Amino acid sequence: MQKMSAVSSTQKELKTISVFVTNFAKYNNGELIGEWLDLPTTPKKIKQCFKRIGINNSKHEEFIFTDYKSSIEGISKYISEYSNLNELNYLAYKLEELDDDDIKIYEAAIDLNGYVQSLADLINLTGNLDCFHCLSGLKDEYDLGYYWIVESGCYNLELLGKLANYFDYEAFGYDIALEEGGIFYAGHYIYCMEDSFYEDYDGKSVPEEYCLL
């Protein structure tokens, strides 16, 4: 479905997750009646939103999301017009618990080795960030190779003598990144140290305290 511009409300500030809640019946009749909803939110606010856009009950078939945004890179591509509002609210709450350093790792991990395939995966990822290691100040394979050979203390360059001047740091860094499945993101090198994640959310039952409907 092609996203449509908001006509009845404007978004003042991009929050963790924002969705444009649209009256589905009106939409099918050619009218875009809806408003932006910032998540996380409360049951009271979602009821007020529904009332303003002419929805009389909270059944999911009564509304869709005709646009959606996030201040965290990579999240929007897992949201659709029919996404579960309770699940989105749960995710937004979990994201608010992350600090700036966590967010950098989180954004990189979204595209790392296919760990994320759904909103449920995004939720579970928030609780597994300690599975990732972040090396700051490394922007490419050369930096990574130089770090491990020169700065990490793992190798004794004195044993190599003048041969150390001919070491191909970029090629070495490339091999390390390939072996670890790591990526470079915003001046950091990030890779996963664990083979499996702990899944706190089963993708079915959103905890009651996060539910809106």
Side-chain angles (χ1 to χ4, degrees):
M1 178 181 296
Q2 184 178 4
K3 298 185 180 68
M4 302 177 69
S5 300
V7 295
S8 63
S9 177
T10 58
Q11 188 179 25
K12 295 181 180 180
E13 182 182 357
L14 181 60
K15 302 296 183 180
T16 302
I17 298 175
S18 297
V19 291
F20 193 75
V21 184
T22 301
N23 184 315
F24 193 29
K26 295 292 186 179
Y27 185 85
N28 282 334
N29 290 327
E31 296 182 77
L32 182 60
I33 306 298
E35 68 178 41
W36 283 104
L37 179 70
D38 294 328
L39 302 176
T41 191
T42 64
K44 180 179 179 180
K45 288 183 178 180
I46 188 62
K47 288 180 181 179
Q48 292 172 341
C49 171
F50 284 164
K51 184 177 180 180
R52 287 191 295 268
I53 64 176
I55 293 177
N56 296 320
N57 59 61
S58 60
K59 293 182 179 179
H60 191 232
E61 60 266 23
E62 297 293 330
F63 69 93
I64 58 172
F65 305 128
T66 52
D67 205 353
Y68 26 86
K69 300 178 182 180
S70 175
S71 59
I72 299 177
E73 186 174 344
I75 285 182
S76 295
K77 63 183 177 181
Y78 295 100
I79 304 175
S80 74
E81 57 266 32
Y82 301 111
S83 289
N84 185 298
L85 181 57
N86 290 333
E87 196 170 54
L88 285 173
N89 200 51
Y90 185 20
L91 173 60
Y93 269 110
K94 300 295 285 185
L95 292 173
E96 284 203 335
E97 297 174 356
L98 305 182
D99 60 26
D100 290 342
D101 290 336
D102 289 335
I103 291 296
K104 291 176 183 176
I105 296 176
Y106 186 86
E107 288 180 327
I110 288 176
D111 293 324
L112 188 62
N113 289 341
Y115 290 113
V116 174
Q117 302 293 329
S118 65
L119 287 177
D121 292 336
L122 286 173
I123 292 170
N124 284 318
L125 181 60
T126 63
N128 285 279
L129 296 182
D130 56 348
C131 295
F132 297 88
H133 189 59
C134 177
L135 296 174
S136 299
L138 307 182
K139 65 180 183 298
D140 54 28
E141 287 83 1
Y142 179 92
D143 287 346
L144 180 61
Y146 187 86
Y147 167 81
W148 281 113
I149 295 299
V150 178
E151 299 177 344
S152 69
C154 295
Y155 300 92
N156 188 344
L157 294 183
E158 293 181 359
L159 295 178
L160 294 177
K162 292 183 178 180
L163 289 177
N165 297 327
Y166 300 95
F167 201 92
D168 192 336
Y169 298 115
E170 182 177 5
F172 186 66
Y174 176 85
D175 288 343
I176 291 176
L178 184 65
E179 179 180 351
E180 295 177 335
I183 62 173
F184 298 93
Y185 181 81
H188 307 279
Y189 172 71
I190 298 171
Y191 64 99
C192 185
M193 302 179 293
E194 302 290 340
D195 293 331
S196 60
F197 286 172
Y198 171 73
E199 293 189 357
D200 185 53
Y201 174 54
D202 61 6
K204 298 177 182 179
S205 303
V206 175
E208 185 176 352
E209 61 266 32
Y210 303 107
C211 290
L212 298 171
L213 306 176

